[in-house]
Amino acid sequence: LPTPVPAMLIARLLPSPTRVANFSTISAVSRTRVSTQIWNMVSERKMLKKNATRPPTDLVPKSPADSRVSVEIPLASDPVLREEYLSYRGGVRFGKILEDIDLIAGHIALSHCDDENPDTFPNMLVTACIDRLDLRRKVTLRHQDMVLQGGVTWAGRSSLQVNIELIARDVPPADALQLSGSLVFVNVGSDGKGVPVNPLVPRTEEERRMCAEGELAQARRKIRQSTSLETMAPTQEESELLHQTMSGRLKCKQCVPMVETKMQSVHLMHPQERNFYGKIFGGFLMREAYELAYSAASSFSADAVGEERGGFPTLVAMDDVTFNRPVNVGDVVSMVARVVYTGANEMLLAPPGSQETSLYQVRVDIGIINLRTGKRSVSNEFHFTFMSRAPAESAQGSEPAFRTLRVPAVMPRTYQEGMEWLSGRRRMLESLRYAKELGSYAAHPSAFPGPE
């Protein structure tokens, strides 16, 4: 990051932040019509409490159905909306889908925590983490209309989990689910401390099954946190693998130093991107982080192993995104993306004859600079699993076909890079395991060619 400008000088140059309202009921003009629709749904719920005089005190048991929400995304049948989601490749600009996901999940969480009493203040829900998002099928623009839906599947004392699904319309049930994922929210008071949420009471067998899965997901989060490389040393096996890699004992004909995969962007946070609480909208950060990760992945994938070049990334999963602190209007946000592990790394470590994979892992770290004080802090980190693909020959008149490409291995040079390399390995292998369990295209890419 650049050398900090003296805080006293900045304080003289910048206008007072009090000119920007802390509460926004207006959707930013950069959002899609779908995001605006969800934003307005949240605004309407909050406006019901505009004359509130006291904080909520009563807990109201609710079932998953009480807060379940679905929103239509007619990508195929609405050409105007399709233009809002159009990417430079002619496919879906997936960062826009991520914004929709964050908005609808927040709306669902708010609906569950609402006591339905107009005399009590509205709840303040903050995104704690994105547990996982897994792509089951390629999301396309011109083939199916979509439905984005979700509901609460787990509730603790002050936090809750929202499961999200993206469903394609008018396709066989086995092919309808395009994306599934879960986000965790925390209900906080004016002092920033956790506030109890309404109990979750399933009423049907299907709801009980979903809530049981929510309990398992919470248990997995606790295990992942307790075994994270940020809190525990690597296992003996991981230490040996890292030693083999960094000591040069592995014969790697085409390895790229991790530092050379770095790509960075800097953003000044403006009020148009604030959320209902005056902070920067998490969906905006998700979109910007994803598009930087995609850019870094594209640059890396374009230089595939051997004579096969010109690949491009396809998102497979996004996992374990933790929001450590909010971003304020007027902050400078620095995003740094790096490729931290690839399928070629795994092939170097695996026994001869092991199956190759074109997956690779990209990490994005987000830092904050407070322009008034010069203080720097870490906001959050994002983890994306991509698959490298390239166009393949297909029969005339048929859907475009694609083939997978193996990307180079990356080489850590410092201890910090070594820990990121190991963390990336864990995440990539977990994404591959989920892909096999869920039957997604990442496990069987040739079975789901589809357009990009």
Side-chain angles (χ1 to χ4, degrees):
L1 293 176
T3 303
V5 179
M8 291 183 62
L9 174 60
I10 294 174
R12 296 193 198 103
L13 297 176
L14 295 179
S16 169
T18 57
R19 297 181 184 179
V20 177
N22 287 330
F23 180 82
S24 174
T25 59
I26 302 174
S27 175
V29 295
S30 62
R31 293 185 185 134
T32 65
R33 192 190 334 152
V34 173
S35 287
T36 301
Q37 177 188 351
I38 304 171
W39 184 275
N40 291 338
M41 291 164 65
V42 180
S43 295
E44 290 172 4
R45 178 171 287 276
K46 286 183 172 290
M47 290 304 292
L48 294 175
K49 291 176 174 282
K50 63 181 179 180
N51 297 320
T53 58
R54 58 184 177 84
T57 55
D58 299 326
L59 296 179
V60 182
K62 292 189 176 183
S63 73
D66 291 332
S67 57
R68 192 161 184 82
V69 175
S70 65
V71 175
E72 299 281 342
I73 309 180
L75 294 175
S77 61
D78 189 333
V80 176
L81 182 70
R82 188 162 64 238
E83 190 72 18
E84 296 178 0
Y85 285 86
L86 182 65
S87 76
Y88 78 101
R89 292 189 60 87
V92 174
R93 187 177 173 186
F94 192 73
K96 294 287 188 178
I97 299 289
L98 290 177
E99 284 190 315
D100 295 340
I101 288 173
D102 189 55
L103 265 174
I104 196 170
H107 176 43
I108 291 168
L110 184 65
S111 299
H112 177 81
C113 293
D114 195 349
D115 62 0
E116 314 297 340
N117 185 344
D119 296 328
T120 59
F121 299 131
N123 300 89
M124 180 181 290
L125 275 298
V126 297
T127 310
C129 76
I130 302 167
D131 192 13
R132 282 199 70 84
L133 290 177
D134 290 282
L135 274 293
R136 309 290 190 95
R137 303 287 188 274
K138 275 298 299 170
V139 181
T140 62
L141 274 178
R142 295 175 177 83
H143 287 66
Q144 295 98 22
D145 289 340
M146 302 285 177
V147 177
L148 186 61
Q149 62 185 31
V152 177
T153 58
W154 171 83
R157 193 194 75 85
S158 59
S159 57
L160 65 160
Q161 174 180 298
V162 176
N163 278 21
I164 296 295
E165 296 176 332
L166 185 65
I167 307 292
R169 284 202 175 279
D170 302 323
V171 299
D175 299 327
L177 184 57
Q178 310 292 296
L179 173 152
S180 61
S182 58
L183 297 85
V184 178
F185 292 84
V186 178
N187 189 25
V188 299
S190 57
D191 57 358
K193 297 182 179 179
V195 174
V197 300
N198 290 328
L200 183 65
V201 182
R203 297 195 176 101
T204 67
E205 284 301 321
E206 178 62 15
E207 288 183 347
R208 279 188 277 273
R209 182 192 63 80
M210 293 167 56
C211 291
E213 292 179 355
E215 292 284 352
L216 289 175
Q218 171 64 5
R220 285 195 298 268
R221 281 192 292 273
K222 289 184 177 181
I223 293 174
R224 190 167 59 224
Q225 291 170 0
S226 65
T227 58
S228 167
L229 291 172
E230 295 179 358
T231 57
M232 285 188 63
T235 65
Q236 181 66 32
E237 179 190 10
E238 289 176 327
S239 297
E240 292 175 359
L241 294 177
L242 183 60
H243 176 69
Q244 291 179 40
T245 300
M246 298 187 69
S247 65
R249 291 167 55 189
L250 298 177
K251 295 180 180 180
C252 182
K253 296 180 179 180
Q254 189 177 2
C255 284
V256 179
M258 188 183 295
V259 68
E260 293 184 9
T261 70
K262 177 180 174 181
M263 193 171 286
Q264 184 171 356
S265 65
V266 178
H267 308 262
L268 177 60
M269 296 293 103
H270 293 287
Q272 289 79 11
E273 300 301 341
R274 70 192 186 278
N275 61 18
F276 288 95
Y277 312 116
K279 306 297 182 181
I280 295 301
F281 170 48
F284 168 76
L285 297 175
M286 288 168 60
R287 169 164 62 88
E288 294 297 324
Y290 167 74
E291 294 189 347
L292 179 62
Y294 185 91
S295 299
S298 296
S299 176
F300 190 73
S301 184
D303 190 19
V305 172
E307 299 300 323
E308 296 184 329
R309 299 177 184 273
F312 56 87
T314 297
L315 182 66
V316 172
M318 176 179 176
D319 79 295
D320 195 21
V321 177
T322 302
F323 292 83
N324 297 315
R325 52 177 48 84
V327 179
N328 296 308
V329 172
D331 286 345
V332 168
V333 169
S334 171
M335 298 186 177
V336 180
R338 293 180 303 282
V339 179
V340 293
Y341 198 79
T342 77
N345 283 110
E346 192 63 21
M347 288 304 298
L348 290 172
L349 304 172
S354 298
Q355 184 178 3
E356 293 189 9
T357 175
S358 61
L359 299 188
Y360 57 116
Q361 197 71 25
V362 178
R363 171 186 174 125
V364 179
D365 291 290
I366 297 186
I368 309 171
I369 307 174
N370 184 315
L371 288 183
R372 296 187 173 278
T373 65
K375 182 180 178 181
R376 299 174 179 226
S377 55
V378 176
S379 172
N380 48 356
E381 58 189 50
F382 291 82
H383 305 277
F384 302 94
T385 306
F386 289 98
M387 178 173 61
S388 179
R389 302 198 301 169
E393 293 185 4
S394 58
Q396 188 173 3
S398 64
E399 291 288 353
F402 295 89
R403 57 194 170 91
T404 60
L405 293 181
R406 185 164 61 92
V407 294
V410 293
M411 192 62 60
R413 299 299 187 193
T414 66
Y415 181 81
Q416 179 62 34
E417 288 183 353
M419 294 302 100
E420 293 175 1
W421 185 87
L422 285 176
S423 176
R425 179 175 187 264
R426 289 183 180 184
R427 296 175 191 280
M428 193 194 81
L429 295 180
E430 184 175 31
S431 291
L432 183 58
R433 179 176 63 82
Y434 270 96
K436 291 178 179 179
E437 290 180 0
L438 301 174
S440 78
Y441 68 85
H444 311 283
S446 60
F448 307 102
E452 173 59 17

